[in-house]
Amino acid sequence: LTVHSHESGNRFHSVIEILDNKLENDVHFLWSFSKDFGASGFRLAILYTQNVRLLQALANLNIFSGVSNPMQLIAAEIMSE
């Protein structure tokens, strides 16, 4: 899922790779289907963080923002390519 060519040497480097996965409390990686694919109905995002307090705060919200089964199937299909 990238537009960067591995052959040309113009390889994508994520912030996680650059910081050697030492994000600590101040860096969070957020990726959403709706922004990347221009599909406003795709209400699915991924948050990667090492901030324990943020994770604890968000743990109480997931009951209100579950991802529907059809959307999970679509996301799995997209990410498998």
Side-chain angles (χ1 to χ4, degrees), residues 48-66:
Y48 180 78
T49 183
Q50 295 173 349
N51 185 322
V52 175
R53 291 185 70 199
L54 176 60
L55 290 172
Q56 289 171 341
L58 293 174
N60 295 323
L61 298 176
N62 66 2
I63 193 168
F64 300 110
S65 60

Side-chain angles (χ1 to χ4, degrees), residues 8 11 16 19-21 26-27 33 39 52 55 58 60 63-64 66 68-71 76 80:
S8 69
R11 192 172 151 288
I16 296 169
L19 295 177
D20 195 29
N21 201 29
D26 299 322
V27 179
F33 282 83
V52 175
L55 290 172
L58 293 174
N60 295 323
I63 193 168
F64 300 110
S68 69
N69 190 38
M71 189 63 230
S80 70

